Amino acid sequence: MNKYLIAFAVYASVACANVFGQDIDQEIESKIEVILNRLTLEEKVKMCHAQSKFSSAGVERLGIPEIWMSDGPHGVRAEIEWDSWNYAGWTNDSCTAFPALTCLAATFNPELSYKYGLAVGEEARYRKKDILLGPGVNIYRTPLNGRNFEYMGEDPHLASVMCVPYIKGVQTNGVAACVKHYVLNNQEVWRSHINVQLSDRALHEIYLPAFKAAVEEGDVWSIMGAYNKYNGQHTSHHDVLINDILKGDWGFDGVVVTDWGSAHDTKEAALNGLDIEMGTGTDGLTSSTENAYDYYYLAKPFLEMIKSGEIDESVVDDKVRRILRLMYRTNMDTKRPHGRKGNKEHFDVAREVAQEGIVLLKNHKAFFPLDAETTKTIAVIGENATRMMTLGGGSSELKTIHEISPLEGIQKQFSKANIIHSMGYASGASAYGRVIPSKLNANKLKKEAVEVAKQADIVLFVGGLNKNHEQDCENGDRLGLNLPFGQDELLDEIMAVNKNTAVILVSGNAVAMPWQNKAKAIVQAWYLGSETGHALADVISGDVNPSGKLPFTFPVKLEDNGAHAFDELSYPGDGNDQVYKEDILVGYRWHDTKKIKPLYEFGFGLSYSSFSISGASSDQKAYKAGDVIKVDVEIKNTSKVLGAEVVQVYVHDEDASLMRPEKELKAFTKVKLEGGETQTVQLEIPASALAFYDEKINDWNLETGKYSLMIGTSSRDIKETIEIEIK
Ligand code: BGC
């Protein structure tokens, strides 16, 4: 067959795509075989590794395109140079910055997740990307993890439900989502080599479900390995994780991409399911030099092993098949839409996600909402009132078209107020994994802030963490749970001179709050992207009624978190190994089972409305495997204002033959109600979701017996309980 026939094969299979539905897949598969037969061994190997920082090679003579990738996950990253990590300096690569995934998770709203995915996917498509490196679904195990802000919280059900629509939204554009980092990359300290050990039960019940949902329900087209090891083998080429579980049990037919520089061995990479190797330098580090790509594990060394017969050619064929399949779904799909970026609709999506994700944690005597017409003096204190948070944090850094700061948003919304501002503290900067302390005088900043606080009727303290090294940032963890840069002391002094102080926390992680009792109100405001200030002002002025819920627990102190309740082997490990000693009791599962009261629990968040829940009932009293449990519950907005509440159903196994968590989230739904309105909502739980992972049979086990379904508005605010039985 000549090159024109190949080009036609490429075209023809695509042309049939929308007409024949399921048949096309088979047609594409046969086209893939046609192409595969035309490729030389060298060309096939070339497709399995990077040719630049963010692309892998096509086959020029056959017109097979290159694959272009981009971070991810909160917007499409600015262009990077071919061979270095420097920005390329393009002027057309700015984007809409969407809120961080913690905020998306906090919306508890899967429809918004679809909108988010669709919008960020459109931007990726417009920027000619074939793979968007996200979403991240690693479970929030410790509040110190520098990358929690890129993930979807501590609960596997929440992360599963929220990641699937994001993936579908992205992929609607003919852009592959790349769910990451598979798996157990739950901290940044020693991420490149730490060898994680945990029970099979914890692996299957806690850490794998979101990835499984991404594959089985989201039909994700690519997945990124992680840096760390699991049971002695690097996760990016792991026999059990990739061959057995991902490609075996879950039937994943897409492409496994390394994390950048996470491949370590040619034979393992070849045989254990890695399809595309990215980011490795010749020295095994991620700082590559020119032409390093030829020496990647899946480059010349791979070719030589195939030529010598040590590795069978069918191994590379399988990889290339997967890569071509991804191409037929993306850059060889001539019908894919063209994308768009920086349009009003995208900023609106960013704002809507931000509005719905903001969590109101405390609101003493209805401190919020503040009257938008107020003429009072409002002191806005804190570095995060003006700091750009789309910068820093590592690979998720964005070059955004605009970023409205909290101060700007507040000034605009409260235009009649007298707004005064003081920085209060200075965090400095970071470079190449180093902290560069600020040269500003901390005492002077504090004094100035206290003076400003004295003059004000109201203080809005906008602090928290930032995207510097050892804050919410890749490649390092936080050093402690408390607020950094002297903010706790500063808050004490401010609250001593002004009792009307509210704290707005900008962070992707839980923090300790020694000043919690004294704060009049507390808002968890995440990293909100382009529309930060607008969304924040919308909520604190009452234009938008808060409805976000915490996707992870805020412990009172670090030791109250399960991962930190043991020795250093549990966290951060001994430098080589790490054992997840809290096992399946991650997050609220630990707090509830061990009866350790959190500061703020998973699923918690206040509203300006009030709600009541009553009349919970299930459609049957007894179920068997394969059934779906239907729970009806009546929810009423008992206030006068429109608001939204998240109805959450937790399950407790009453007759368990082994230890099970006190409760586990199995269903939730967000309901919007006018003042005084009542609705009956129905939540569905497949009976199979009540099973536990049984290490004796290496499979899920649904035990017969009694179970309680606990219905509430947070993991601790349970309003109704119903008993059911599994027969
Ligand atoms: C990160 C990935 C990211 C990749 C490319 C790695 O350091 O862990 O999440 O997608 O770099 O920037």
Side-chain angles (χ1 to χ4, degrees), residues 53-54 70-73 77 80 85 133-134 147 150-151 180-181 185 188 191 224-225 227 258-261 278 286 394-396 474-475:
K53 278 278 171 236
F54 280 94
S70 173
D71 287 303
R77 192 179 182 183
I80 304 286
W85 283 108
L133 305 172
R147 271 187 111 170
E150 288 185 69
Y151 304 140
K180 65 191 189 183
H181 308 89
N185 183 178
E188 289 297 293
R191 69 173 178 177
M224 186 190 289
Y227 283 119
T258 50
D259 199 342
W260 268 232
M278 299 297 296
T286 53
S395 58
S396 62
E474 196 173 327
N475 228 336

Side-chain angles (χ1 to χ4, degrees), residues 424-427 442 446 461 464 482-494 515:
Y425 66 91
S427 65
K446 187 155 71 173
F461 180 84
N482 279 79
L483 285 178
F485 322 121
Q487 291 176 79
D488 287 340
E489 299 76 28
L490 173 61
L491 272 168
D492 271 350
E493 293 195 25
I494 290 173
W515 33 261

Side-chain angles (χ1 to χ4, degrees), residues 513-576:
M513 302 185 194
W515 33 261
Q516 190 238 10
N517 278 336
K518 287 183 282 169
K520 283 279 155 32
I522 304 173
V523 174
Q524 177 58 37
W526 316 116
Y527 298 110
L528 300 178
S530 291
E531 294 292 311
T532 296
H534 286 150
L536 184 63
D538 291 339
V539 168
I540 64 177
S541 67
D543 272 4
V544 167
N545 192 347
S547 62
K549 297 281 181 174
L550 289 181
F552 51 79
T553 308
F554 277 56
V556 174
K557 51 189 191 308
L558 193 58
E559 307 77 70
D560 291 353
N561 166 286
H564 295 274
F566 302 90
D567 57 4
E568 63 157 26
L569 198 55
S570 177
Y571 179 90
D574 66 6
N576 294 313

Side-chain angles (χ1 to χ4, degrees), residues 674-686:
E674 295 288 348
E677 190 187 344
T678 305
Q679 260 188 44
T680 302
V681 293
Q682 188 169 80
L683 296 101
E684 295 190 350
I685 304 170

